[in-house]
Amino acid sequence: MIKDFMRRGLPALTLAALPLLTAGVPTAHAGPVRATAPSTAGAPTTAGLRAPLPLFEAIDRIPVADEQREGYKRDLYKHWNRGLNATDGCDTRREVILSEAVEAPQVAAGCKMSGGSWLSPYDDVVVTDAAGLDVDHFVPLAEVHDSK
């Protein structure tokens, strides 16, 4: 999965983000990029900077290895812990929900929340009930383990 993403998904993502990355570039640096000979591409220049590499050449230089599921156990990774203040009843999940509130909820004993609102950055949906929220990993723990 990672190898496939590195070969196919990363170049597409990079190309999609390129306009965002170059939007604030001063015009003195926005001129045409000169191709360098393969033997000097990525080598330090007189200014100590590296010459730019073509995208696919840069991707080919990223080390690739098979994933290793050996030794993975879900219980090696903690589930929700007691949070920063173990006495307030707010576990890590609830602390994340509180920190991401657009409008802070009322918090009662045992970290029971009422009111408040949250805005989903993915689809601009506003949620007004903390029970309707989910906190999860962006990358599954097994994939983190495999990719070490």
Side-chain angles (χ1 to χ4, degrees):
M1 182 171 146
I2 293 291
K3 287 194 275 186
D4 193 43
F5 173 74
M6 295 302 286
R7 296 255 183 241
R8 296 189 180 134
L10 186 59
L13 180 63
T14 304
L15 291 174
L18 194 56
L20 300 173
L21 298 173
T22 59
V25 175
T27 54
H29 299 287
V33 176
R34 292 185 189 92
T36 57
S39 61
T40 61
T45 62
T46 56
L49 301 175
R50 294 195 178 272
L53 291 173
L55 177 63
F56 290 108
E57 185 178 337
I59 290 170
D60 286 339
R61 290 186 180 196
I62 296 172
V64 177
D66 290 333
E67 294 178 338
Q68 299 297 320
R69 183 64 51 101
E70 184 178 305
Y72 171 75
K73 294 179 190 167
R74 175 61 182 91
D75 59 358
L76 291 173
Y77 300 89
K78 289 184 179 183
H79 200 58
W80 302 118
N81 64 26
R82 288 191 240 172
L84 296 175
N85 180 352
T87 63
D88 69 1
C90 291
D91 61 11
T92 306
R93 176 189 175 276
R94 289 183 181 106
E95 286 178 350
V96 169
I97 289 172
L98 286 168
S99 73
E100 294 187 355
V102 174
E103 181 184 327
Q106 298 294 319
V107 182
C111 205
K112 298 207 188 281
M113 295 180 224
S114 61
S117 66
W118 295 263
L119 175 65
S120 168
Y122 304 106
D123 53 11
D124 289 330
V125 170
V126 175
V127 177
T128 58
D129 180 6
L133 298 171
D134 194 14
V135 177
D136 207 347
H137 306 277
F138 280 107
V139 178
L141 292 176
E143 188 65 38
V144 170
H145 179 84
D146 292 351
S147 300
K148 286 184 179 179

